[in-house]
Coordinates of all heavy atoms in Angstrom, one line a residue:
A133 N -21.4 22.0 0.9 CA -21.8 22.2 -0.5 C -23.0 23.3 -0.4 O -24.1 23.1 -0.9 CB -22.3 21.0 -1.1
S303 N -45.3 28.2 -5.1 CA -44.7 28.5 -3.8 C -43.3 28.1 -3.7 O -42.8 27.3 -4.5 CB -45.5 27.7 -2.8 OG -44.9 27.7 -1.5
T331 N -42.5 10.0 -4.0 CA -42.1 9.0 -5.0 C -42.9 7.7 -4.7 O -43.6 7.7 -3.7 CB -40.6 8.7 -4.9 OG1 -40.2 7.8 -5.9 CG2 -40.1 8.3 -3.6
L401 N -18.2 -8.2 2.5 CA -16.9 -8.7 2.1 C -17.0 -10.2 2.0 O -17.0 -10.9 2.9 CB -15.8 -8.3 3.1 CG -14.4 -8.8 2.8 CD1 -13.9 -8.4 1.4 CD2 -13.4 -8.4 3.8

Side-chain angles (χ1 to χ4, degrees):
S303 168
T331 179
L401 175 56

